[in-house]
């Protein structure tokens, strides 16, 4: 009878963790959800929500649990994906910790957050100009922004930042906020309408000047798979 497989004695003792880079649009700015740590190391320093994976827990389950526990966010992310694994030696003073980073897009209007778990603060911050971050979280955030910018080019992730119906100027604001640069209004409108990812809602939004046409995501459009 064969014995049960076991890890070799020389196998590294490694902790497995998740970190969540949760984005949302607030007042025309791309913002990221941060927590203020309540424990050492890096006590009272801003960080990404995250923590250790529990036994029998899938990675995405751990990411959602940490997000909800540390920030009291109850809304389901519009999008959640693993985007990179960070395992550099010395990234965590507690030992060899490998973190699977997740990118999340929270629904439009997900503004109110509070500290939970072992955190002593939770707040939205500018994604492009955040405060000093604990561990290697600035590197994680920078890579997440790069991933988000890439997803604009071959997926339809920008649409996940908006309510069900929106105007083209509102969609342009999302593209500009993520890319951190201004876009030509006429060229943007022409390109987006040519992609076939939008459909008129049949409604208009009143305001200053001519009522703006409202659009929604076309029925056959999906955020591109990994």
């Amino acid at each position: 009878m064969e014995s049960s497989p076991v890890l070799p004695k020389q196998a590294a003792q490694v902790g497995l963790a998740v970190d969540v880079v949760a984005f949302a649009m607030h007042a025309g700015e791309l913002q990221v959800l941060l927590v203020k740590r309540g424990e050492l190391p890096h006590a009272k320093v801003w960080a990404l929500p995250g923590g250790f994976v529990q036994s029998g827990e899938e990675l995405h389950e751990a990411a959602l649990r940490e997000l909800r526990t540390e920030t009291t966010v109850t809304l389901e992310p519009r999008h959640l994906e693993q985007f990179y694994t960070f395992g550099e030696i010395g990234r965590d003073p507690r030992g060899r910790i490998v973190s699977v980073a997740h990118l999340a897009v929270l629904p439009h209007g997900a503004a109110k957050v509070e500290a939970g778990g072992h955190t002593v603060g939770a707040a939205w911050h500018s994604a492009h100009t955040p405060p000093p971050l604990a561990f290697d979280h600035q590197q994680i955030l920078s890579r997440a922004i790069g991933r988000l910018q890439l997803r604009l080019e071959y997926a339809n992730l920008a649409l996940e930042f908006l309510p069900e119906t929106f105007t083209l100027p509102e969609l342009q604001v999302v593209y500009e906020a993520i890319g951190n640069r201004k876009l030509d209004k006429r060229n943007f409108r022409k390109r987006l309408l040519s992609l076939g990812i939008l459909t008129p809602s049949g409604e208009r939004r009143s305001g200053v000047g001519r009522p703006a046409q409202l659009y929604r995501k076309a029925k056959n459009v999906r955020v591109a798979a990994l």
Side-chain angles (χ1 to χ4, degrees), residues 119-214:
T119 65
V120 294
W124 291 98
H125 293 263
S126 169
H128 293 291
T129 56
L133 300 179
F135 305 107
D136 57 352
H137 289 190
Q138 179 60 64
Q139 180 184 352
I140 296 175
L141 173 58
S142 296
R143 186 173 283 271
I145 292 174
R147 173 69 172 175
L148 193 57
Q149 292 170 342
L150 181 64
R151 298 284 267 155
L152 289 183
E153 299 304 319
Y154 73 91
N156 308 300
L157 196 53
L159 303 180
E160 303 303 317
F161 284 87
L162 293 165
E164 183 179 352
T165 59
F166 49 85
T167 66
L168 286 180
E170 289 170 342
L171 180 57
Q172 182 171 339
V173 166
V174 174
Y175 272 80
E176 290 178 338
I178 293 174
N180 201 26
R181 62 188 179 95
K182 288 291 185 181
L183 299 172
D184 180 79
K185 180 178 179 180
R186 182 177 299 179
N187 290 339
F188 177 83
R189 180 185 181 92
K190 181 178 180 180
R191 183 172 72 88
L192 262 292
L193 292 179
S194 70
L195 295 177
I197 62 175
L198 305 178
T199 184
S201 68
E203 303 172 344
R204 289 183 178 273
R205 180 176 298 156
S206 299
V208 179
R210 183 179 177 183
Q213 171 69 60
L214 291 173

Side-chain angles (χ1 to χ4, degrees), residues 42-166:
H42 302 291
K44 297 184 179 180
V45 177
W46 289 105
L48 298 168
F52 292 101
V53 179
Q54 297 177 357
S55 177
E57 188 176 43
E58 297 290 348
L59 292 175
H60 74 278
E61 294 173 341
L64 289 174
R65 173 179 55 77
E66 289 292 339
L67 182 62
R68 291 165 179 162
T69 300
E70 294 192 348
T71 69
T72 68
V73 165
T74 58
L75 296 174
E76 192 75 15
R78 297 280 297 273
H79 180 77
L80 179 70
E81 66 170 88
Q82 296 177 24
F83 70 93
Y84 200 77
T85 299
F86 294 83
E88 223 177 284
I89 296 174
R91 64 178 298 271
D92 193 312
R94 293 170 294 185
R96 186 71 189 274
I97 309 297
V98 173
S99 179
V100 181
H102 289 66
L103 185 157
V105 177
L106 294 186
H108 175 79
K112 186 178 180 181
V113 292
E114 296 177 1
H118 298 296
T119 65
V120 294
W124 291 98
H125 293 263
S126 169
H128 293 291
T129 56
L133 300 179
F135 305 107
D136 57 352
H137 289 190
Q138 179 60 64
Q139 180 184 352
I140 296 175
L141 173 58
S142 296
R143 186 173 283 271
I145 292 174
R147 173 69 172 175
L148 193 57
Q149 292 170 342
L150 181 64
R151 298 284 267 155
L152 289 183
E153 299 304 319
Y154 73 91
N156 308 300
L157 196 53
L159 303 180
E160 303 303 317
F161 284 87
L162 293 165
E164 183 179 352
T165 59
F166 49 85

